[in-house]
Amino acid sequence: MSDAGDGSDELTPDELQFAFHEVECHAYDERFGIAYDHDQADDARREVAKLVGDQRFSRVLDVGCGTGYLGLGLLAAGVTDEAWLVDLSPGMLARVEENARQLGVEPRVVRASAAELPFPDDGFDAVVSRGVLHHLHDPVAALTEWRRVVRGGGPVVLTSEPSPHADGVGGWVARATQAGLAGARAAARRLGRPLPELDDDAAQEQRYWDLVAMAANIHTFTPRELQELGEAAGFGRVEVRGAGALSIAWATAYYVLVEEIPTLGRSSQDRRRAARLYAALRRLDAHLFEPLLPSRALLTVQATMSG
């Protein structure tokens, strides 16, 4: 919180992100259907290879690593010899360590802000980041810092940043999912097999954290806007494209379902099923929607920056 003497009780940007992610870490993998196994590692490898090809790196830095999707996946898939994973949230880093044990890998884990990294210049062959930039109050400062720690010519790879269309489509998908779930609940009650649901206190707390999540998601980016941010951070080469349609809609629907049905997503089997469906829809997006639709019409933005 702010110093009491300044008369303000507003959270700083880092404090807001810290508060949200310290809660989100407890259900992050469950809500996004992430199961840390061989398939997940291969998905992470493909996600990065889509942007930089099948390169290998000696040292990779995963900034804003969350529960470790990219950094752990690249390490387990043999894309890098050494992976350093950085996040502001101790809770997220604790889950990184749990997930690393499950994968049988040993990352280097560091707590730090994405815009103030405790590393020397030119310390990494590549920097990767998944869905992080839109949480940061100063994206250019963060990108400048990531450029500082990557060796000359090495890539900074950004994936899963929301486009302006993501909010509208996501809201529609969330409402449709909730309406469908309400119908399913009514049918299940008539059959005498009611679906699990949150009690009133848990539902109220969930609504509160939904509002915090909205506040923590600060930006959306068009491809052009992300291009301009990279150029403002000093990158000489910036390649940006849109990605994701069906896969992002499914991820939104699954997030709502896990939020509303307390038992869903808790088992590794649930998460593996969700992850397999998400991966299949991503392949469909890559072969159908991404070639046909303009980048600005897709739901996420991804980029490779270097130089």
Side-chain angles (χ1 to χ4, degrees):
M1 300 290 288
S2 301
D3 291 338
D6 68 5
S8 171
D9 60 358
E10 292 184 0
L11 294 175
T12 68
D14 274 358
E15 286 170 339
L16 174 62
Q17 298 300 333
F18 177 85
F20 170 61
H21 287 95
E22 278 294 277
V23 172
E24 182 79 344
C25 67
H26 298 295
Y28 188 89
D29 292 338
E30 291 76 9
R31 287 176 176 171
F32 287 98
I34 303 173
Y36 282 88
D37 54 19
H38 172 78
D39 289 339
Q40 179 276 324
D42 202 44
D43 286 342
R45 178 194 63 77
R46 285 197 299 266
E47 188 166 313
V48 172
K50 182 180 178 182
L51 296 173
V52 298
D54 289 316
Q55 297 187 52
R56 285 199 81 260
F57 304 101
S58 293
R59 301 180 83 213
V60 166
L61 175 64
D62 182 356
V63 184
C65 62
T67 62
Y69 185 92
L70 280 184
L72 294 183
L74 296 178
L75 191 58
V79 173
T80 183
D81 300 319
E82 190 176 302
W84 290 72
L85 279 71
V86 169
D87 203 280
L88 188 64
S89 163
M92 287 292 189
L93 295 177
R95 293 212 69 172
V96 167
E97 292 175 340
E98 292 173 14
N99 293 330
R101 285 191 291 271
Q102 190 165 326
L103 279 171
V105 296
E106 296 184 4
R108 310 290 183 91
V109 176
V110 176
R111 181 173 180 251
S113 168
E116 297 179 12
L117 298 172
F119 304 114
D121 295 357
D122 305 321
F124 297 92
D125 300 301
V127 173
V128 298
S129 186
R130 190 174 198 260
V132 173
L133 205 65
H134 70 281
H135 288 300
L136 305 180
H137 69 286
D138 190 344
V140 171
L143 288 171
T144 302
E145 181 73 341
W146 304 355
R147 179 172 172 264
R148 178 185 69 79
V149 301
V150 73
R151 293 190 180 101
V156 171
V157 178
L158 312 178
T159 71
S160 295
E161 294 295 345
S163 78
H165 293 291
D167 281 345
V169 173
W172 182 88
V173 169
R175 291 189 294 273
T177 303
Q178 288 168 338
L181 181 58
R185 287 193 188 283
R189 282 194 295 269
R190 286 195 295 270
L191 294 171
R193 301 182 65 181
L195 295 174
E197 55 187 309
L198 299 171
D199 62 34
D200 289 343
D201 289 342
Q204 183 174 354
E205 183 176 359
Q206 186 58 62
R207 301 298 174 262
Y208 169 78
W209 286 108
D210 284 345
L211 292 174
V212 176
M214 292 171 64
N217 291 304
I218 302 173
H219 310 284
T220 61
F221 306 106
T222 65
R224 181 59 191 163
E225 287 168 343
L226 195 54
Q227 175 96 24
E228 290 171 350
L229 290 175
E231 292 168 354
F235 288 98
R237 182 175 175 224
V238 182
E239 297 181 0
V240 184
R241 67 181 77 169
L246 286 179
S247 59
I248 306 305
W250 155 248
T252 301
Y254 188 76
Y255 188 99
V256 171
L257 290 172
V258 171
E259 205 174 56
E260 298 291 335
I261 303 175
T263 56
L264 184 62
R266 289 182 180 174
S267 72
S268 58
Q269 186 178 37
D270 283 345
R271 295 197 295 277
R272 287 192 184 95
R273 287 171 178 161
R276 283 196 294 268
L277 180 53
Y278 177 70
L281 291 174
R282 276 210 311 193
R283 289 192 292 272
L284 184 59
D285 281 340
H287 289 95
L288 180 60
F289 289 98
E290 291 170 20
L292 292 177
L293 295 176
S295 282
R296 65 181 181 276
L298 295 165
L299 301 186
T300 66
V301 185
Q302 55 194 19
T304 306
M305 304 181 181
S306 60

